[in-house]
Amino acid sequence: MITRRAFTAALSLTGLTALAGFSPLRLIADAIAQGAADVAKPQSLPDMALGPANASVTITEYASMTCPHCAAFHEATLPTIKEKYLDTGKARLVLREFPFDPRAAAAFMLARCAGDDKREAMVSTLFKQQNVWAGAEDAQAALLQLSKLAGFTQESFEACLT
């Protein structure tokens, strides 16, 4: 969350750079151009992807399992994108982890441990049930209950998170 103080400081710095002859728009354009190339690079973890690897368009999504906006995207928007673009081979969606907190990191770990055949369903379930486990007093117990739906036992759950 950005505070008013941080926003005002950033705005002031933007103004100062403009006065000094630097173009903030140029800096932003350079960052976007450099970032676009970096986003497509393979990461250390295997991609969690939907759609064909040879699709002409690749959409890279950075998400946190505890982000309500990410959950809303997966609930309301992704089904349409999947139907129109991913299932028809026009595009590929790569989901990359960007956990905001330890709970989100644990949820992504569990999705990866679920295996290739259950990963998509696990991610979907975790986003759908986000309000149940992300804010729970005992998130570990809530995540264990959801993980059991994917075939986890107490032992496999603990092994995955370890």
Side-chain angles (χ1 to χ4, degrees):
M1 180 169 96
I2 189 167
T3 64
R4 281 188 222 176
R5 183 174 291 160
F7 177 75
T8 304
L11 192 59
S12 298
L13 289 174
T14 303
L16 289 174
T17 59
L19 285 174
F22 297 108
S23 169
L25 295 177
R26 172 67 185 196
L27 294 173
I28 292 168
D30 289 347
I32 290 171
Q34 182 180 9
D38 290 341
V39 167
K41 289 181 183 174
Q43 302 295 305
S44 59
L45 291 171
D47 283 339
M48 289 191 287
L50 299 173
N54 63 349
S56 59
V57 174
T58 299
I59 304 164
T60 305
E61 173 194 10
Y62 285 86
S64 177
M65 284 289 188
T66 55
C67 167
H69 301 291
C70 301
F73 169 80
H74 277 262
E75 286 283 316
T77 308
L78 183 59
T80 303
I81 291 173
K82 190 173 183 313
E83 178 186 336
K84 289 184 176 181
Y85 302 104
L86 306 179
D87 293 344
T88 60
K90 295 177 183 175
R92 177 178 196 226
L93 176 86
V94 176
L95 173 63
R96 299 245 171 99
E97 294 101 326
F98 192 80
F100 290 161
D101 49 53
R103 290 178 184 214
F108 273 123
M109 290 167 66
L110 291 166
R112 285 194 175 272
C113 288
D116 293 340
D117 59 330
K118 296 179 185 173
R119 186 175 298 129
E120 182 183 348
M122 185 75 171
V123 168
S124 179
T125 300
L126 287 165
F127 275 128
K128 284 180 185 172
Q129 297 296 318
Q130 185 186 76
N131 60 340
V132 172
W133 63 269
E137 189 172 316
D138 186 356
Q140 186 172 352
L143 282 170
L144 174 61
Q145 290 303 100
L146 286 171
S147 297
K148 286 182 178 179
L149 297 173
F152 281 83
T153 63
Q154 178 77 35
E155 294 77 28
S156 62
F157 175 82
E158 289 174 7
C160 176
L161 295 180
T162 303

